[in-house]
Amino acid sequence: NAGVTQTPKFQVLKTGQSMTLQCAQDMNHEYMSWYRQDPGMGLRLIHYSVGAGITDQGEVPNGYNVSRSTTEDFPLRLLSAAPSQTSVYFCASSYIRPGAGAEAFFGQGTRLTVV
Amino acid sequence: AQSVTQLGSHVSVSEGALVLLRCNYSSSVPPYLFWYVQYPNQGLQLLLKYTTGATLVKGINGFEAEFKKSETSFHLTKPSAHMSDAAEYFCAQSNFGNEKLTFGTGTRLTIIP
């Protein structure tokens, strides 16, 4: 009954370092997405995927890369971390059923600090 | 472009009082509307959603929301607040054929004993 699993839960990076935030879901959902949450700004969409091999940019994609080689996994890569990327990152997944208004299931989040 | 506006970044109510959290949406097509709740240091959990049909939607933990197209609103209410309702609440929308969620900036609900 895992749902959406994110690792790590906490991370501190130095400016310029790279890292990958992991996200895995076991619900066979087609749609997966990454958001960042900053105080007073709600959640903003970084990248999303409608299926394996298909990704697209969201509202704030700069500085982040994604890939989707399997249905289950959707990692988010920071190639060269900057202090502006200090945030809480959430991965979410949902099924795609046109007209159904599918519910998004969220992971527990990764709290990233870039110093 | 669609947008979601939540009026009031912080709302405080006394235990047992009515909870009212406001949400207005902007969409050129009929939206799907959602309320999510976030407890401290946790992810978001769906409270309720509106897709089509009945405009009064009931969710978990005694919350409900009413879709009012004429007012482009989807306010969240609960008749009697409980201490366990203290959390941050997010309104969100998506559209038919587009799974992307657009979130409001959130409202932090504090319950006064």
Side-chain angles (χ1 to χ4, degrees):
Chain A
N1 217 19
V4 179
T5 302
Q6 289 184 237
T7 55
K9 287 187 169 53
F10 301 94
Q11 183 71 49
V12 179
L13 286 180
K14 293 182 179 180
T15 298
Q17 286 186 316
S18 63
M19 80 160 295
T20 299
L21 308 185
Q22 301 292 344
C23 176
Q25 54 97 1
D26 61 359
M27 296 171 283
N28 202 32
H29 286 165
E30 303 98 325
Y31 185 83
M32 296 186 73
S33 53
W34 276 101
Y35 294 86
R36 59 177 290 170
Q37 181 180 22
D38 302 291
M41 304 191 75
L43 280 80
R44 293 180 292 168
L45 182 64
I46 305 172
H47 285 286
Y48 66 97
S49 169
V50 298
I54 306 170
T55 64
D56 205 348
Q57 297 180 349
E59 181 186 355
V60 288
N62 292 341
Y64 308 95
N65 282 346
V66 292
S67 60
R68 183 100 179 266
S69 56
T70 67
T71 298
E72 294 78 18
D73 299 301
F74 190 45
L76 178 72
R77 296 183 186 86
L78 285 71
L79 296 180
S80 179
S84 61
Q85 293 178 304
T86 293
S87 186
V88 181
Y89 292 84
F90 288 99
C91 179
S93 76
S94 61
Y95 54 80
I96 296 177
R97 298 287 187 273
E103 171 186 356
F105 292 81
F106 285 81
Q108 294 292 294
T110 296
R111 188 173 297 273
L112 176 67
T113 302
V114 182
V115 298
Chain B
Q2 57 191 29
S3 65
V4 177
T5 302
Q6 291 183 241
L7 292 176
S9 57
H10 292 87
V11 171
S12 296
V13 302
S14 297
E15 190 175 15
L18 171 72
V19 175
L20 170 61
L21 304 183
R22 299 178 186 275
C23 173
N24 289 89
Y25 68 91
S26 169
S27 176
S28 59
V29 297
Y32 299 142
L33 296 164
F34 307 81
W35 275 100
Y36 283 87
V37 60
Q38 184 182 32
Y39 298 104
N41 299 314
Q42 294 194 22
L44 279 71
Q45 176 185 0
L46 182 70
L47 271 180
L48 48 81
K49 69 178 182 181
Y50 168 79
T51 54
T52 58
T55 56
L56 182 62
V57 180
K58 294 187 186 298
I60 62 173
N61 301 337
F63 285 93
E64 62 182 35
E66 186 171 11
F67 171 63
K68 291 187 176 181
K69 184 178 178 181
S70 62
E71 299 177 7
T72 61
S73 69
F74 191 57
H75 302 331
L76 181 71
T77 60
K78 182 174 180 178
S80 177
H82 192 273
M83 295 300 295
S84 61
D85 295 327
E88 188 152 21
Y89 292 80
F90 291 93
C91 183
Q93 74 167 60
S94 66
N95 295 109
F96 180 88
N98 184 348
E99 301 300 320
K100 287 190 285 184
L101 283 168
T102 298
F103 284 88
T105 52
T107 297
R108 184 169 300 277
L109 178 65
T110 300
I111 310 300
I112 304 166

